[in-house]
Amino acid sequence: MPKDGGIGASTVRREDVRFLTGTGQYCDDMNMFGQTAAVFARSTVANGVIKSIDTSAAEAMPGVLAVFTGEDFVEVGGNPAGWLINSRDGEPMKEPKRPVLAHGKVRHVGDAYAAVIAETVEQAKDAVEAIEADIEELPAIVNMKDALAADHYVHDEIGTNQCFDWGWIEDNRAATDAAIKGAHHVTTLELVNNRLVPNAMEPRCSMAQYNRANDEYVLHTTSQNPHLTRLLISAFVLGIPENKLTVIAPDVGGGFGSKIYHYGEEALVLAAAKKIGRPVKWTADRTEAFLTDAHGRDHVTKIELAMDKDGNFLAFRTETMANVGAYLSNFSTATPTFLHGTLMAGNYTVPNIYVNVKAVFTNTAPVDAYRGAGRPEATFSLERVIDKAAREIGMDPIALRRKNFIKPDQYPFASAAGLEYDSGNYDALMDQMEKVADMAGFEARRKASEKKGKLRGFGVNAYIEACGIAPSNLVGVLGSRVGLYDAATVRVNATGNLSVMVGAHSHGQGHETAFPQVVAEMLGIDPQSIDIVHGDTSKIPFGMGTYGSRSLAVCGSAVVRATEKIINKAKKIAAHMLEASDGDIELKDGVFSVAGTDKSVTFGEVALKAYIPHEFPLEDIEPGLEETAFYDPANFTYPSGAYCCEVEVDPETGKVSVESMTAVDDFGNVINPMIVTGQVHGGLGQGIGQALLENTTYDENGQLLSASYMDYVMPRADDLPFYTVDHSQGNACTHNPLGVKGCGEAGAIGSPPTVVNAVIDALQSGGKNVTHIDMPMTPHRVWSAMQNA
Amino acid sequence: MTKVTMTINGKSVSGEVEGRTLLSSFLREDLHLTGTHIGCDTSQCGACVVHVDGKPVKSCTMFAAEADGADVATIEGQANEDGSLNVIQAAFQEHHGLQCGFCTPGMVMSAAALLKDNPKPSEAEVREYLEGNICRCTGYHNIVKAIMAASGQDVSAIAAE
């Protein structure tokens, strides 16, 4: 096994060199010969009837090559929802069409109703100004509660603003109601999970080429999953056969969910490239990103926790309104349901769970999965109500959690919310957290803060998430319209180096470094001789991409399976070369040898033999050394963690500062600890941002008030502390070959309730009976809560 | 159109620009120096930071014509002469101070400007200096650590990995 660069090594990332020297190739860094520019005309009203669009003046503008409106796409399909949810009464969800360009109505500010293709971006922008659109503004539907009561609709044809009314698990409802009715103590909490904009630093960009000779298209686009994008465009939107469409996601500057989805701009540039016979490129500016990238979260929730007289949990009951915005983005219906309701057991042995989710259309941007996707919403509700309950019954919040934790001998554990957890040890995580966070020293630190006139609080959280999305058979039963396997091809080249083609897509996760560590470990060769190929549908097998902390657990498992096939075949070739039986061949440190002898051949010699098959047993073995594996997981993976933080609150201003943040996670086995730690850091930054800074605000007319970095508060370096991250308490996943669980979303799931719990603790310590503050806990909100307490 | 001439990464370059052409656009579109990134339209994100006459500048806030005659440094010119990573770049790699890489050129250019003025910055000074550079991936931990390490300070006490 390689000492440097195998499993468990904190190998520095090979992709860094190009990013550090300015030689990365992001979509907007590329230009094509004869390239033209697309610019979109976007609605300035949240809800309106398109009476007419006159494009004649725009078409006559200098440099203009074509102008498109919704009329041009009436005959093609729409962008579909990837997951069918049935309401409690059995009725399927409402699925209004999501066209390439708005037709008939505009439904949110930023909804594109026309596009100009011109020689230059400036000419296209000028021509967009010359489009005369007569749009009759209608009252905007913004607030979810109002939307459900309204007698006018975001989509008139469906006659309601409710997409679905989902119950999970409906058969548990009566028992849950009864448990709450008969409980010794019930804690109730109403809360808002604030709406966020993912804000990958690279704005979306799409560039299309069309080759008339072969009727072929190439789309370069900012995607987390090029095959999924191609499938959606081919099967649902434009009907371009998949063999005629290549989708390439090159270096992508972050995603966090927002680049999972297919967007209309991708279809528009493809159609335009065919029409004008030249490449067409569109790059979003930041305002367009705020207006049109799928947003995240936006739940309004009431949760109840029922306990017996000893603090044993008897039931959780949740009612949530989930905003889906103006159109159903691809996974918008799965996020508040199966990625949220199924997690409502948390880390606890609670027997009764019922979750009701009403998904609501509003005249706002679509809402979909954002880092964590449903699981942060579940964790936030659970861990806030548990903290509140601990205060109400006078019990230490850690002790209350520990009392109800699932114990290590209970795995596999069937939760009342319908999942089977494979492994974990939540007490061990909590023990480690208490140790590394120096909980024993908290009171002294609190006194020191008080001396400075600050209130210090300690907040804790335990989370579980379901990652490694997902077993296709299971999600198929639950309404998914896609399978959620992944795929890898391992190609051993004749000279002994390897190209590994993967369905996962790296946009910050470091796959180019971590995946070779796995293969190098298995083959006993230098990881530097292994390169990862990703992001190009013409080069890689059909995989489902990167989201839901799935890359290593699902695609990494496919890499393992394909490498096992390589080893099996290579052993046969080695056996032939060594005139031995393949059952006697051993592979160690990149050398195949006959057990108990000194006869051996190197991995490189076997590779060369595979491609120069002289004296080769062609009747038994095909030439070449290349294998593909598809891997469909048997279950979700269940990362878990114990987090804590300490905050200081300035009682004069309400300003909160996070003084420390500790994350102890069970990710199972870890391939590259440096990368895993970095993933947690990023999630913590986003989670603290949600807790203290970030909010997406629409006014009553549906105007987005937070549409730039002047108004939407992104976490900056001086808003955040150094973090303490620990993943020493891993329990290997029991059902994938690497024993890995996934680490990409944990920080964003575990940190928001931790910060809120700490702020409440700080205020309580100052004698203020504040039991909840909605996120973001801005100085104004904290100060106001203190005044009203 | 106006003719501009400037030195970029030690080489003299000329071009014809419109009055409204931003320095960032001139670098990216005309000179194909695409390491300078555009992440916003309000001069907030800092992905486009370059040095103009030794001072850090958000190149989206400056017209190309204003840089006529200036000495401009971009990320493409930061590596050592033999092509190896310079001290700051190497520290970013060593301490995992980047993930998706999009904000990275601006971060490196800002870090270089900071260390020129303040060769041994404290944690608080680094964080304050980076106020104009937004990163969405790293939570800043490893960026701050990398910059302190690049300044020669011992960062081993800052949380592991």
Side-chain angles (χ1 to χ4, degrees):
Chain A
M1 132 192 21
K3 285 210 171 34
D4 299 316
I7 288 176
S10 282
T11 309
V12 298
R13 302 194 325 166
R14 58 179 74 179
E15 46 269 75
D16 289 356
V17 175
R18 66 178 188 270
F19 298 141
L20 283 162
T21 53
T23 50
Q25 283 282 286
Y26 300 88
C27 207
D28 191 49
D29 297 339
M30 301 179 198
N31 292 303
M32 302 284 166
F33 184 74
Q35 176 180 300
T36 65
V39 172
F40 289 83
R42 299 188 181 277
S43 179
T44 58
V45 301
N47 191 11
V49 175
I50 302 172
K51 301 283 218 185
S52 65
I53 301 176
D54 183 351
T55 60
S56 54
E59 283 163 11
M61 298 278 287
V64 172
L65 300 162
V67 181
F68 291 86
T69 68
E71 283 292 326
D72 295 301
F73 295 93
V74 170
E75 300 299 320
V76 305
N79 190 359
W83 205 298
L84 173 68
I85 301 298
N86 291 318
S87 286
R88 294 191 291 130
D89 60 8
E91 281 293 305
M93 67 186 192
K94 306 294 185 192
E95 285 187 84
K97 184 177 176 182
R98 186 183 184 191
V100 175
L101 290 172
H103 186 249
K105 270 182 99 177
V106 286
R107 294 185 172 87
H108 66 93
V109 172
D111 203 1
Y113 58 83
V116 172
I117 316 300
E119 296 287 349
T120 70
V121 173
E122 290 76 16
Q123 288 171 334
K125 282 184 177 172
D126 289 345
V128 162
E129 296 295 317
I131 294 173
E132 289 183 23
D134 179 8
I135 297 175
E136 181 191 346
E137 185 171 2
L138 300 174
I141 300 159
V142 180
N143 175 285
M144 285 193 276
K145 205 168 166 190
D146 296 345
L148 292 176
D151 58 2
H152 62 293
Y153 310 111
V154 177
H155 296 274
D156 301 309
E157 68 275 20
I158 59 175
T160 174
N161 290 318
Q162 182 172 285
C163 177
F164 56 75
D165 175 5
W166 180 77
W168 187 256
I169 296 171
E170 203 56 28
D171 288 348
N172 293 352
R173 184 176 198 169
T176 303
D177 290 349
I180 288 172
K181 202 171 175 189
H184 175 77
H185 186 91
V186 178
T187 298
T188 304
L189 180 61
E190 295 187 25
L191 54 86
V192 173
N193 206 295
N194 44 326
R195 182 175 179 129
L196 305 173
V197 178
N199 270 307
M201 292 315 298
E202 179 203 23
R204 287 191 292 121
C205 174
S206 298
M207 176 170 56
Q209 293 165 276
Y210 176 69
N211 177 340
R212 202 170 301 281
N214 302 320
D215 194 27
E216 287 175 349
Y217 300 78
V218 178
L219 175 69
H220 284 77
T221 192
T222 44
S223 174
Q224 300 176 218
N225 32 242
H227 269 299
L228 188 58
T229 298
R230 188 179 73 167
L231 178 64
L232 290 165
I233 293 169
S234 291
F236 296 94
V237 184
L238 295 179
I240 299 168
E242 284 178 272
N243 57 324
K244 296 292 186 187
L245 173 60
T246 296
V247 176
I248 299 172
D251 287 332
V252 171
F256 315 111
S258 67
K259 293 170 182 169
I260 297 172
Y261 325 114
H262 166 56
Y263 291 89
E265 291 90 352
E266 293 171 321
L268 186 286
V269 293
L270 284 165
K274 179 170 186 177
K275 180 168 181 180
I276 69 167
R278 290 170 58 184
V280 179
K281 177 169 156 184
W282 165 77
T283 305
D285 59 32
R286 183 55 62 183
T287 305
E288 282 182 295
F290 272 106
L291 292 174
T292 66
D293 287 2
H295 295 178
R297 316 284 192 259
D298 206 351
H299 284 202
V300 176
T301 296
K302 177 185 171 188
I303 181 165
E304 294 157 285
L305 163 58
M307 294 179 288
D308 69 13
K309 63 181 173 33
D310 298 320
N312 294 304
F313 294 170
L314 303 176
F316 286 112
R317 184 169 64 190
T318 304
E319 286 175 44
T320 287
M321 285 188 294
N323 201 337
V324 291
Y327 301 100
L328 294 181
S329 179
N330 300 135
F331 289 104
S332 60
T333 53
T335 301
T337 53
F338 290 106
L339 296 176
H340 165 242
T342 56
L343 274 299
M344 289 308 291
N347 310 44
Y348 309 105
T349 54
V350 55
N352 299 293
I353 292 171
Y354 180 73
V355 184
N356 173 238
V357 178
K358 294 182 175 68
V360 186
F361 290 109
T362 58
N363 290 121
T364 64
V367 182
D368 206 325
Y370 162 65
R371 200 169 196 167
R375 290 150 289 166
E377 294 90 320
T379 301
F380 187 73
S381 299
L382 288 169
E383 295 298 311
R384 282 292 301 124
V385 79
I386 291 169
D387 237 56
K388 185 165 185 253
R391 285 188 191 285
E392 288 179 359
I393 65 171
M395 196 165 170
D396 174 73
I398 292 179
L400 181 61
R401 287 176 170 88
R402 285 183 182 272
K403 185 180 191 68
N404 289 281
F405 274 163
I406 300 159
K407 299 300 175 192
D409 61 1
Q410 290 179 279
Y411 296 97
F413 179 82
S415 91
L419 295 177
E420 186 179 283
Y421 302 170
D422 67 324
S423 61
N425 187 338
Y426 310 140
D427 278 304
L429 292 167
M430 199 61 92
D431 291 345
Q432 182 73 358
M433 181 207 81
E434 292 185 18
K435 193 171 110 192
V436 298
D438 182 28
M439 261 193 77
F442 174 70
E443 282 307 324
R445 293 192 292 276
R446 171 171 271 174
K447 285 200 173 65
S449 294
E450 284 169 354
K451 270 194 177 168
K452 294 189 292 178
K454 303 284 176 65
L455 300 174
R456 195 175 189 100
F458 179 87
V460 69
N461 169 66
Y463 79 86
I464 186 164
E465 51 171 331
C467 294
I469 292 169
S472 295
N473 284 329
L474 172 60
V475 297
V477 171
L478 300 179
S480 174
R481 288 161 167 166
V482 291
L484 287 164
Y485 49 84
D486 219 289
T489 297
V490 175
R491 177 180 297 155
V492 180
N493 298 312
T495 56
N497 50 52
L498 275 73
S499 304
V500 179
M501 283 64 82
V502 294
H505 184 274
S506 190
H507 35 279
Q509 296 85 347
H511 297 172
E512 292 171 39
T513 301
F515 283 162
Q517 292 182 241
V518 172
V519 178
E521 178 85 23
M522 293 178 70
L523 297 178
I525 61 174
D526 180 2
Q528 292 301 326
S529 67
I530 305 165
D531 270 309
I532 298 301
V533 178
H534 67 104
D536 181 338
T537 60
S538 69
K539 294 179 179 169
I540 62 173
F542 194 112
M544 296 304 286
T546 289
Y547 41 83
S549 306
R550 71 190 303 274
S551 297
L552 193 58
V554 187
C555 190
S557 296
V559 170
V560 170
R561 293 282 184 254
T563 306
E564 287 169 351
K565 292 184 186 180
I566 290 286
I567 292 171
N568 286 340
K569 183 169 179 183
K571 280 184 174 176
K572 285 184 183 160
I573 298 170
H576 170 72
M577 293 168 76
L578 297 168
E579 297 178 329
S581 153
D582 42 311
D584 293 334
I585 301 294
E586 294 174 343
L587 170 62
K588 189 163 183 266
D589 295 338
V591 175
F592 296 94
S593 55
V594 182
T597 75
D598 60 357
K599 293 190 343 184
S600 66
V601 286
T602 65
F603 183 80
E605 288 168 328
V606 171
L608 195 62
K609 177 62 85 179
Y611 288 94
I612 306 178
H614 299 162
E615 298 174 28
F616 202 79
L618 290 168
E619 63 282 7
D620 296 328
I621 316 173
E622 292 174 11
L625 196 51
E626 172 171 331
E627 298 287 352
T628 294
F630 283 72
Y631 180 83
D632 202 310
N635 191 356
F636 291 94
T637 64
Y638 297 96
S640 58
Y643 285 20
C644 67
C645 81
E646 294 181 22
V647 298
E648 273 189 354
V649 179
D650 183 339
E652 300 296 317
T653 63
K655 181 158 172 54
V656 176
S657 74
V658 178
E659 297 296 305
S660 69
M661 171 64 77
T662 301
V664 178
D665 296 282
D666 173 359
F667 295 136
N669 296 334
V670 170
I671 305 301
N672 183 318
M674 177 195 81
I675 290 175
V676 167
T677 302
Q679 290 292 302
V680 178
H681 288 167
L684 295 174
Q686 289 177 329
I688 295 170
Q690 172 170 27
L692 297 180
L693 303 169
E694 298 179 39
N695 204 25
T696 307
T697 308
Y698 285 93
D699 72 8
E700 69 276 14
N701 298 315
Q703 293 294 332
L704 182 59
L705 301 179
S706 51
S708 82
Y709 290 146
M710 312 286 276
D711 307 296
Y712 185 95
V713 187
M714 291 283 278
R716 307 198 183 217
D718 55 0
D719 296 314
L720 299 169
F722 280 131
Y723 318 106
T724 303
V725 174
D726 183 301
H727 29 79
S728 64
Q729 303 301 310
N731 294 280
C733 172
T734 61
H735 58 78
N736 66 43
L738 289 166
V740 297
K741 294 184 173 179
C743 64
E745 298 162 292
I749 294 169
S751 55
T754 314
V755 178
V756 179
N757 290 344
V759 171
I760 299 301
D761 185 57
L763 299 186
Q764 294 266 349
S765 80
K768 299 290 184 185
N769 188 27
V770 176
T771 57
H772 182 69
I773 301 173
D774 275 324
M775 301 184 293
M777 295 180 295
T778 58
H780 175 70
R781 284 185 178 177
V782 174
W783 186 85
S784 299
M786 292 177 76
Q787 306 316 303
N788 297 330
Chain B
M1 300 290 267
T2 311
K3 187 178 180 192
V4 294
T5 301
M6 60 190 87
T7 304
I8 298 185
N9 300 327
K11 286 183 194 155
S12 179
V13 298
S14 299
E16 296 276 330
V17 298
E18 290 186 61
R20 64 177 170 179
T21 302
L22 300 170
L23 178 58
S24 53
S25 307
F26 180 62
L27 293 171
R28 288 179 55 80
E29 305 296 332
D30 294 18
L31 304 178
H32 309 297
L33 293 170
T34 54
T36 298
H37 294 152
I38 310 297
C40 75
D41 20 82
T42 52
S43 296
Q44 294 280 306
C45 81
C48 68
V49 171
V50 299
H51 297 176
V52 177
D53 292 330
K55 297 223 168 352
V57 167
K58 288 180 175 171
S59 60
C60 73
T61 62
M62 187 172 188
F63 293 117
E66 290 179 277
D68 188 31
D71 185 10
V72 177
T74 73
I75 188 67
E76 286 88 350
Q78 293 298 297
N80 297 324
E81 274 187 20
D82 65 358
S84 61
L85 299 180
N86 74 14
V87 170
I88 295 169
Q89 292 168 318
F92 269 70
Q93 184 181 35
E94 178 68 24
H95 297 285
H96 192 26
L98 64 153
Q99 290 181 26
C100 83
F102 195 80
C103 77
T104 305
M107 286 288 178
V108 169
M109 298 308 289
S110 285
L114 166 64
L115 296 185
K116 196 172 143 204
D117 289 348
N118 183 356
K120 290 270 185 287
S122 67
E123 178 201 343
E125 287 171 336
V126 175
R127 289 185 184 277
E128 190 184 349
Y129 196 87
L130 293 183
E131 234 277 330
N133 290 81
I134 302 177
C135 169
R136 193 55 152 171
C137 293
T138 65
Y140 301 99
H141 180 113
N142 285 340
I143 291 175
V144 177
K145 190 177 173 184
I147 294 171
M148 294 179 75
S151 75
Q153 301 183 68
D154 179 4
V155 295
S156 57
I158 299 168
E161 242 67 81

